[in-house]
Amino acid sequence: MRKTLTLFAALTLTLSACGAIRDSRVNPFNWFGQSRSVATTAPEQTNPLIPRRNGFFSRAGAADAVYLGRPFEQVTNLTVERVPGGAIIRATGLAARQGIYAVQLTPANEDEEPVNGVLTYRLEGVRPKANTPVGTVPTREVTAGRKLTDQQLRDVNVIRVEGALNAQETRRR
């Protein structure tokens, strides 16, 4: 009984000392800071009829599904959560109307590589064909996520998620 009590007291004191690590760079939860809203530029218009990949080694029979999503009006929140082997990007957006579905974070460039240390995604969703009610803010809010490996995050200093009217970005500390 005394050994158990002594061990429990030692563990309690050890865990209470972890407060010093909470604000250090060693803590993986501190690797990216809080997100902030920044101005966005107009998205580049591309022709969907021009194929992106072709060549001798491209898959002949595999037809890539065309994603019909459009950018959300606002990106309201961006968090990066560390997980073993990488991180999860979670973005919350606010749509102009209810009913948007198939929400995803679409890479801004084809290779999903950082440009000058900035990894950029667009928060997109498919809008219904019929008119839908506007509704309250909680009914128009959606969240999308994407997992990145440590190899993908190697050269990344900033993660940016763009909407139609704004963008959120978070920097590595």
Side-chain angles (χ1 to χ4, degrees), residues 107-123:
N109 58 357
E110 196 171 311
D111 300 331
E112 200 171 348
E113 293 288 327
V115 177
N116 296 330
V118 179
L119 188 59
T120 306
Y121 292 96
R122 284 185 310 275
L123 182 62

Side-chain angles (χ1 to χ4, degrees), residues 60-160:
D64 291 335
V66 177
Y67 180 67
L68 301 174
R70 294 191 339 209
F72 268 74
E73 282 70 23
Q74 272 187 312
V75 180
T76 57
N77 191 16
L78 171 65
T79 57
V80 178
E81 299 171 0
R82 294 295 297 176
V83 294
I88 295 176
I89 301 171
R90 187 176 59 195
T92 304
L94 186 63
R97 305 185 84 64
Q98 293 177 346
I100 294 181
Y101 60 96
V103 178
Q104 70 180 26
L105 288 171
T106 307
N109 58 357
E110 196 171 311
D111 300 331
E112 200 171 348
E113 293 288 327
V115 177
N116 296 330
V118 179
L119 188 59
T120 306
Y121 292 96
R122 284 185 310 275
L123 182 62
E124 297 180 336
V126 178
R127 299 169 194 257
K129 293 180 182 179
N131 286 336
T132 57
V134 173
T136 61
V137 171
T139 62
R140 296 181 287 135
E141 202 171 58
V142 297
T143 302
R146 187 175 194 96
K147 184 179 186 306
L148 298 174
T149 63
D150 284 331
Q151 290 79 17
Q152 290 172 313
L153 290 170
R154 182 179 49 236
D155 298 327
V156 176
N157 294 325
V158 177
I159 296 176
R160 178 182 173 98

